[in-house]
Structure formats: structure tokens, C-alpha cells
Amino acid sequence: MYGLINIAIRELVLRDHGEARWQEIVARAAPSPADFVGMQTYPDEITYRLVAASSDVLRVPASDLLRAFGRFWATDVAPKHYREIFDLMGRSLAELLPNLHRLHDRITTLMPQLEPPTFAFARQADGALWLRYESQRPGLAPMVIGVLEGFATVFRERVEVTQVAHRDAASGTFDEFRIVTRRLAERDCGTVVPTRV
């Protein structure tokens, strides 16, 4: 994975728990560098060790940590690093989700060693959205849920995400989600409170 992911994990921990906790995590995840270069690639194992160590040190289930990280990625990291790309991809989840392949194609031009997930999208008869997420990296479905929740926050939408299929030996490499959104009324669009881990 690119160092940008590990940097974002560090930023989330620093924001919510401070430098001392981050140093505990780095020590527990060893061997792992304390500093990362955003555009350099690192073995996936380092990121998984950082997540496991963060879960241990912060006493937060890894799934909850990944979900919070997904929200942080969508509300803080993506707008900072990829705003121009995201601005072209839609102004709602319903507009963004069909464009996820194009979005990752654009990002791949910036990060040629990126190994992005693949997505399939459909609208269901009842108005819900359906998303299939397929990745060579196991265990990241909670992060996808967090990303969807985070983008809903950015788009001023209320969202309910239900995982309807789980990656396992029978289904292969994909997870599936049912997504129901609605635009928030203006009075409900107050200041966004960051999710803590």
C-alpha cells in the first residue's frame, strides 16, 4: 500500500489519542517505520500490523477502527489530496458510486503502483443502491462502510449501509452492500462532528 494510507492512520490516531499512543502503536507494530513517505509503497503487512497494534493499544475492535478510518479517509484525507478528482465524480453517493472505477483510474495515473479494488454498482427496484467490493486484500469491508458513511457526511446525506454478502471461501473475493440514502434537510446540516476512535 502507498504510505499515504499509513500516514492517514497516524493522523487519525494523533488527532484522537496523541503522540504517546502513536509511539506505543509503532513499537507494538515493529518492525514498522515511525515515518512514512506518502508516495512510496510499503508491504501490506505493515498496514495490517499498524491496524492490529492500534486495536490492541486503543482497545478498539479492528473492525471499528477500520470503519472510523474509512470515515476519516472520506471526510479528511480525500478532500485534501483528491478534491479535484472527487468534484468531477458526483455530488451524492448515487452519483459517486457508479464512477468508482473511473475515480480509481484517475488516481492510478498519480499512483502507478496502486492495486485498487474493483466495484460493481446497481440501483435496486426499491430505490436502494447496491455495491459489490472486490479486493485482493482481505478484511477491509468495515473500511468500505466507513468510507460510504464519510462521503454521505460530505454530501449532506443520511445513509444506512447493510453488508448483505461477506467475503469468504464460498463467495470468493467480494463483499456486497445495500445502501439507502436520503438528503438531509437544511436544518439538519449543522457542523460535522468528527468520528473518534
Side-chain angles (χ1 to χ4, degrees):
M1 289 188 204
Y2 273 89
L4 191 59
I5 297 288
N6 301 323
I7 290 168
I9 292 171
R10 181 183 68 203
E11 288 176 356
L12 179 61
V13 170
L14 290 175
R15 185 195 74 183
D16 292 352
H17 301 282
E19 180 68 33
R21 283 285 194 238
W22 173 247
Q23 291 306 324
E24 284 182 59
I25 289 165
V26 170
R28 188 168 295 207
S32 175
D35 293 310
F36 296 95
V37 177
M39 296 303 287
Q40 181 176 321
T41 58
Y42 297 86
D44 290 354
E45 179 187 345
I46 290 177
T47 305
Y48 281 107
R49 283 202 310 261
L50 285 173
V51 170
S54 298
S55 176
D56 290 344
V57 170
L58 303 177
R59 296 185 178 155
V60 175
S63 59
D64 291 353
L65 183 70
L66 286 168
R67 190 168 175 176
F69 176 75
R71 288 191 295 262
F72 179 72
W73 183 265
T75 59
D76 291 50
V77 178
K80 185 189 305 180
H81 295 281
Y82 309 113
R83 174 163 297 284
E84 291 180 2
I85 296 174
F86 276 99
D87 285 349
L88 298 172
M89 295 296 153
R91 297 179 179 271
S92 68
L93 276 178
E95 291 179 6
L96 174 68
L97 296 183
N99 289 313
L100 287 176
H101 273 307
R102 262 190 288 172
L103 174 69
H104 282 93
D105 285 345
R106 294 268 180 106
I107 294 173
T108 302
T109 63
L110 302 172
M111 302 174 150
Q113 293 178 314
L114 184 70
E115 297 172 341
T118 59
F119 298 91
F121 169 81
R123 293 176 188 271
Q124 299 184 317
D126 63 358
L129 309 174
W130 170 87
L131 185 70
R132 173 179 284 182
Y133 162 75
E134 190 168 354
S135 174
Q136 65 180 8
R137 298 177 175 104
L140 300 182
M143 186 180 81
V144 175
I145 293 172
V147 167
L148 295 170
E149 292 169 340
F151 280 124
T153 299
V154 171
F155 295 135
R156 301 297 190 185
E157 296 175 333
R158 191 177 305 281
V159 67
E160 180 183 321
V161 182
T162 306
Q163 188 167 357
V164 295
H166 296 261
R167 173 183 173 145
D168 58 27
S171 66
T173 59
F174 63 82
D175 299 280
E176 293 178 354
F177 307 92
R178 184 175 190 273
I179 305 153
V180 178
T181 67
R182 72 175 177 84
R183 183 71 66 183
L184 288 172
E186 194 63 39
R187 69 180 180 279
D188 296 327
C189 292
T191 302
V192 176
V193 178
T195 303
R196 295 181 61 85
V197 292

